[in-house]
Amino acid sequence: MAALQSIRKHGAILIGAIGLALFAFIAEEFFRSLETNSAVSKQQAGSVYGEKLSIQEYQQYVEEATEMLKMQQGVENLTEEQQQQVRDQVWQTYVQNKIIEHEAKKAGLSVSDEEVQNALVQGTASSLRQFVPFVNQQTGRFDYTGLQNFFTEVKKMQGTQMAAEQMEQVEMIKRMWGSTERALRAELLGQKYQALLMCSFIGNDEAAKEFMTAANSNATALVASIPASTITDKEAKASDSDIQEVYDELKEATYVDRETRDIKFIDVQVQASKADRDALDKKMAETYERIISGEDLAAVVGAANSEVRYVNAPLTKDAFPRDIAMMLDSISAGSTKAPYLNPQDNTLNIIRLVSKQQLSDSILVRSLGVGGDTEEKNLQRADSILNALKGGAAFKAMAQKYGQNGDSVWVSSAQLQQGIIDETGAKYISLLNTAGVGEYQKLEANGAQIIIQVLDRKGSVEKYNAAVVKVPIDFSKDTYSTELNKFNRFIAANKTLADVEKNVGKAGYVMRDLENFTSDASNIGGVSDVKEAIKWIFDEAEKGDISKLYECGQQKDHLLLVAVAEVHKKGYRDLNDKNWKSTFTALANSRVKSEAAYKKLAGVKTIAEAQKKGAVVDTLSNVSFFNTPFVPKVGVPEPAISGAVAKLKQGQTATVKGGNGAYVVQVLKTEKAEQQMDAQNAKMQAAQMQMQTSFQSLMPVLLRKAKVVDNRYKF
């Protein structure tokens, strides 16, 4: 009771304390939630319509697209430029698909599983043709049966022991198929959306008539021109109101859906000094002497730090760098080309051609692997299998006994060369090139044994066993340190953009400009590995700010200083924007000068009269409503001439005001097209042209409404 009375006595205090504790707990959870949400938001590659794409998901899409491209091109690696193209393509495809998905959903459009299944069976969708492992190379159609067989085999193998490499390949194909199936659904939905848009446009009889007339004829015409460029500013010059009128008309073109920056930068590329070059020349001379003295080629090439690893096997030219491949036929077998400079990639090179011979380009081969035990037991088992095969045992039955299919496969020289990762790979290639048809051969591979049989050969190609020493002419640490210290001193002495611009030339540097720089750029002035600099430009810098020094470039051979000269927010550009003002001024001037030229031709009825007014004459062929004729004497295309010619009969003349001058046009002759378009086809194509024109205008509007956010530069 005493305890209860004590609680009642201090109830208000206790309730207050409990309330504070609860508040502290809730607040802690609230702020923890904010931190979690903030951390999650920082991991977003971007968003469309507010729907976020995580950086992990984006990177997964990029990896899938990268593997697909490597498989299509038959290469092991992509260049930095190709990798950036893949990243950008993945993002653009994602945005476009989300926009179409959003609009299609509003229209009640979707893609059913049955439609996907039908597309798979037909095998003609463009997205399916990208999935190389299951495309019939002869027909170009998707092999749906092959895909089904693959998944059936994968299901059978579940629970069985697979080699790590085989398991990795299966998983890669499954991931790539997931990517292909997504692309197929997006393609089918896009087709439905475009079909819906097409139904919104109907070509009427009048439009079809104009379209058919234009399609069924073309003309040859004389054109007398007074170019706008010949009208002086005294005769005609655009006023501020003329420029404003052009801006108002074309304002939509100035809309930018993202922030951009005008930047200035200094790029210092560190290069080898004379001392560096002398040291490399000496090392290459020593390497050359070691090669011609007969030392082990693999050891010599490795010690020289060559960019090209020596493979002691016959290879086609494609296995070598392009510049080396071009040199191989000029070297005789057994000889060595002394060190020479290749200025294209800034390397010193030595080539030792061991041998050159004509060998099979494609080989039909089957193999059986023996592993999973000690080297001694693997060898004993392989010898036992080899003796059984030589005694007449069936290869396929023997392979199945050891959990392998024993199927034969054609391998090309290119495929073989891609697989060389060590000395075993080189031995494998040499064995396949030299083995007799029908013979059984045995190859040791990291403790395992491989029994190989060549069944057939076809094609013939020149193959080369060549040792290549290719060494970049690089700078030393001392040279780099010297350049770094020099540039740091310059930055320390020039704290403002004005100071940098004033003294950059005196210091021997060059400052370059980049206008409308965007965050999705992969380089700055051609310098790669600049992510940190781009983050600074868009996340930290204000107008007039100067960055710290960045060490950039794939080889870390560039020193970079960046300054932000102007910040452009998302939206419409102002008329006084320096980039647009000159464009609108030029357009306005062209218009008023074209008007002045048109007035010069007032009352002119013939080409000869126009010439007396100072006009220059061209003869234009194949002029039709579908072709924008190029006027050589004016130096520009002029659509207005197409419209005029379409309305004129043979021998008739008209005066035309164009965008870049004024013209007197006379039709010399008209000709009928070889294939005449009928009215129904004309009506359909007229509608289609309307749809395409409208769609081109529609997509930028949809893109703007999608509120696209691109944060990829942050990662």
Side-chain angles (χ1 to χ4, degrees):
M1 293 293 294
L4 287 173
Q5 289 175 352
S6 178
I7 290 173
R8 291 191 187 108
K9 181 180 178 181
H10 300 288
I13 297 174
L14 286 171
I15 290 170
I18 292 170
L20 287 173
L22 283 172
F23 173 77
F25 174 75
I26 293 169
E28 181 183 357
E29 288 301 311
F30 173 73
F31 287 114
R32 184 182 294 120
S33 173
L34 285 180
E35 289 174 1
T36 302
N37 289 335
S38 175
V40 170
S41 67
K42 289 178 181 178
Q43 292 300 308
Q44 304 304 321
S47 63
V48 184
Y49 293 110
E51 183 179 339
K52 295 179 174 60
L53 174 69
S54 71
I55 188 62
Q56 292 82 5
E57 194 173 4
Y58 168 69
Q59 288 172 342
Q60 177 189 332
Y61 292 162
V62 170
E63 288 173 9
E64 291 169 352
T66 299
E67 291 301 325
M68 194 82 78
L69 183 59
K70 288 196 294 188
M71 188 169 289
Q72 289 167 8
Q73 297 188 351
V75 297
E76 287 291 319
N77 298 294
L78 301 182
T79 65
E80 177 60 33
E81 182 180 1
Q82 289 174 316
Q83 290 172 349
Q84 184 59 40
Q85 288 173 350
V86 169
R87 289 190 284 267
D88 289 342
Q89 185 61 51
V90 165
W91 174 250
Q92 290 162 12
T93 300
Y94 175 79
V95 172
Q96 179 177 300
N97 288 347
K98 284 297 176 183
I99 289 174
I100 292 177
E101 182 183 308
H102 181 83
E103 295 301 312
K105 186 177 181 180
K106 290 196 296 183
L109 299 177
S110 62
V111 175
S112 67
D113 291 342
E114 184 180 358
E115 288 171 319
V116 172
Q117 187 71 19
N118 290 337
L120 290 174
V121 174
Q122 291 172 4
T124 56
S126 59
S127 51
L128 293 176
R129 289 197 292 272
Q130 305 303 312
F131 194 38
V132 176
F134 296 100
V135 173
N136 187 311
Q137 299 303 315
Q138 293 181 340
T139 65
R141 293 169 66 96
F142 178 72
D143 184 2
Y144 180 51
T145 303
L147 179 71
Q148 287 179 311
N149 292 339
F150 167 75
F151 281 115
T152 299
E153 288 296 321
V154 169
K155 192 173 182 180
K156 286 180 181 177
M157 289 190 291
Q158 288 179 351
T160 63
Q161 190 172 6
M162 284 192 291
E165 184 178 352
Q166 186 181 16
M167 190 179 301
E168 184 180 339
Q169 289 176 345
V170 167
E171 288 302 316
M172 182 185 71
I173 291 176
K174 287 166 69 176
R175 288 196 305 272
M176 289 170 62
W177 170 242
S179 173
T180 302
E181 191 173 18
R182 285 197 307 273
L184 175 61
R185 285 184 177 273
E187 181 182 349
L188 295 176
L189 187 62
Q191 289 172 351
K192 281 192 173 185
Y193 182 62
Q194 286 197 14
L196 177 65
L197 288 179
M198 187 64 199
C199 292
S200 305
F201 293 87
I202 301 174
N204 58 35
D205 292 335
E206 192 60 34
K209 181 181 176 181
E210 294 288 338
F211 194 92
M212 187 166 56
T213 301
N216 288 340
S217 63
N218 59 66
T220 301
L222 276 180
V223 178
S225 313
I226 295 183
S229 58
T230 63
I231 305 297
T232 65
D233 286 348
K234 278 189 176 182
E235 294 176 274
K237 186 178 181 181
S239 64
D240 288 345
S241 62
D242 292 325
I243 298 170
Q244 183 68 48
E245 183 181 341
V246 173
Y247 173 77
D248 292 341
E249 182 183 333
L250 302 176
K251 182 180 177 181
E252 283 299 321
T254 73
Y255 186 86
V256 183
D257 62 356
R258 69 183 79 184
E259 289 193 3
T260 67
R261 305 286 186 267
D262 293 345
I263 65 172
K264 296 174 179 287
F265 67 96
I266 300 173
D267 166 34
V268 179
Q269 184 175 6
V270 183
Q271 297 179 326
S273 65
K274 184 178 182 304
D276 298 334
R277 177 62 190 268
D278 289 344
L280 181 58
D281 285 340
K282 181 181 178 183
K283 184 176 180 180
M284 288 294 282
E286 292 171 352
T287 300
Y288 176 71
E289 290 299 325
R290 291 181 65 188
I291 288 175
I292 62 175
S293 67
E295 290 192 37
D296 179 72
L297 288 175
V300 175
V301 171
N305 296 320
S306 172
E307 290 185 339
V308 182
R309 183 169 52 87
Y310 175 57
V311 176
N312 186 17
L315 310 173
T316 65
K317 283 184 179 180
D318 293 338
F320 299 93
R322 186 183 296 270
D323 60 301
I324 299 297
M326 293 174 64
M327 300 289 294
L328 289 174
D329 286 329
S330 65
I331 306 171
S332 58
S335 63
T336 306
K337 185 171 179 60
Y340 69 94
L341 170 68
N342 177 28
Q344 278 69 43
D345 62 1
N346 194 39
T347 59
L348 287 180
N349 300 268
I350 301 171
I351 305 174
R352 168 72 173 183
L353 185 57
V354 178
S355 64
K356 177 167 54 176
Q357 52 192 320
Q358 287 283 335
L359 293 168
S360 304
D361 190 28
S362 294
I363 303 170
L364 183 63
V365 61
R366 58 185 179 181
S367 60
L368 193 163
V370 181
D373 218 322
T374 64
E375 290 187 27
E376 184 179 353
K377 287 184 178 180
N378 289 337
L379 179 59
Q380 290 173 354
R381 191 177 297 115
D383 286 338
S384 175
I385 293 171
L386 194 58
N387 289 333
L389 291 171
K390 289 179 179 179
F395 191 98
K396 196 169 184 66
M398 187 67 72
Q400 290 174 345
K401 179 181 176 181
Y402 288 93
Q404 300 165 51
N405 58 37
D407 290 341
S408 59
V409 60
W410 281 101
V411 289
S412 66
S413 299
Q415 289 171 325
L416 286 173
Q417 288 159 190
Q418 287 176 23
I420 303 175
I421 57 175
D422 54 20
E423 186 179 345
T424 300
K427 288 179 180 178
Y428 179 66
I429 288 182
S430 294
L431 187 151
L432 290 188
N433 277 298
T434 57
V437 173
E439 290 182 1
Y440 291 106
Q441 299 284 345
K442 186 175 62 176
L443 176 68
E444 190 275 332
N446 300 319
Q449 298 288 325
I450 304 174
I451 297 171
I452 300 163
Q453 184 184 31
V454 172
L455 299 175
D456 197 5
R457 301 178 180 278
K458 63 182 180 181
S460 179
V461 66
E462 196 88 67
K463 294 188 179 182
Y464 308 81
N465 184 328
V468 176
V469 179
K470 177 179 277 290
V471 181
I473 303 174
D474 279 341
F475 49 82
S476 63
K477 290 182 179 179
D478 287 343
T479 299
Y480 186 82
S481 179
T482 299
E483 288 290 353
L484 182 64
N485 291 336
K486 177 186 173 185
F487 199 25
N488 269 323
R489 287 195 297 271
F490 171 78
I491 294 172
N494 297 276
K495 301 292 188 182
T496 67
L497 177 55
D499 289 339
V500 172
E501 290 182 296
K502 178 182 176 181
N503 298 313
V504 64
K506 298 175 187 177
Y509 300 128
V510 175
M511 176 165 270
R512 295 158 59 191
D513 295 298
L514 271 179
E515 296 180 343
N516 296 313
F517 185 77
T518 57
S519 63
D520 62 352
S522 61
N523 63 79
I524 296 178
V527 182
S528 61
D529 193 22
V530 290
K531 279 190 175 181
E532 293 305 314
I534 294 176
K535 285 183 190 178
W536 175 83
I537 291 169
F538 286 93
D539 288 349
E540 301 177 35
E542 303 287 344
K543 180 180 176 179
D545 285 354
I546 301 173
S547 73
K548 66 178 184 180
L549 185 151
Y550 293 101
E551 299 177 59
C552 310
Q554 282 185 295
Q555 309 299 325
K556 292 297 180 187
D557 56 347
H558 287 262
L559 307 175
L560 188 69
L561 179 71
V562 184
V564 174
E566 192 65 63
V567 175
H568 299 292
K569 296 295 184 181
K570 176 181 177 179
Y572 295 100
R573 292 295 175 86
D574 188 83
L575 174 57
N576 292 317
D577 181 278
K578 66 177 182 178
N579 296 306
W580 285 103
K581 182 66 179 284
S582 59
T583 299
F584 290 131
T585 300
L587 283 171
N589 271 318
S590 184
R591 287 186 181 183
V592 298
K593 290 176 185 290
S594 292
E595 178 66 34
Y598 185 68
K599 289 178 180 178
K600 276 191 175 185
L601 294 174
V604 170
K605 301 295 183 183
T606 67
I607 297 293
E609 290 176 14
Q611 286 180 293
K612 290 178 181 178
K613 296 279 189 176
V616 291
V617 179
D618 289 293
T619 301
L620 305 183
S621 302
N622 298 318
V623 181
S624 79
F625 197 72
F626 295 133
N627 297 327
T628 299
F630 183 84
V631 187
K633 296 287 175 61
V634 183
V636 293
E638 192 57 83
I641 293 176
S642 292
V645 169
K647 295 179 180 180
L648 296 175
K649 295 181 180 179
Q650 188 167 311
Q652 290 184 329
T653 302
T655 304
V656 181
K657 182 177 71 174
N660 298 282
Y663 311 91
V664 175
V665 181
Q666 181 184 11
V667 174
L668 298 179
K669 65 176 180 178
T670 58
E671 296 177 333
K672 295 292 183 181
E674 291 183 8
Q675 293 184 344
Q676 297 287 299
M677 179 179 290
D678 59 50
Q680 187 60 34
N681 196 21
K683 186 182 291 188
M684 184 181 67
Q685 291 206 28
Q688 190 171 13
M689 282 186 66
Q690 285 181 317
M691 190 274 283
Q692 289 173 347
T693 303
S694 300
F695 192 69
Q696 289 173 355
S697 303
L698 175 65
M699 283 310 292
V701 175
L702 295 179
L703 185 65
R704 194 181 307 176
K705 288 185 175 181
K707 299 178 181 178
V708 176
V709 176
D710 185 357
N711 291 328
R712 292 176 299 144
Y713 72 93
K714 297 177 181 289
F715 302 95

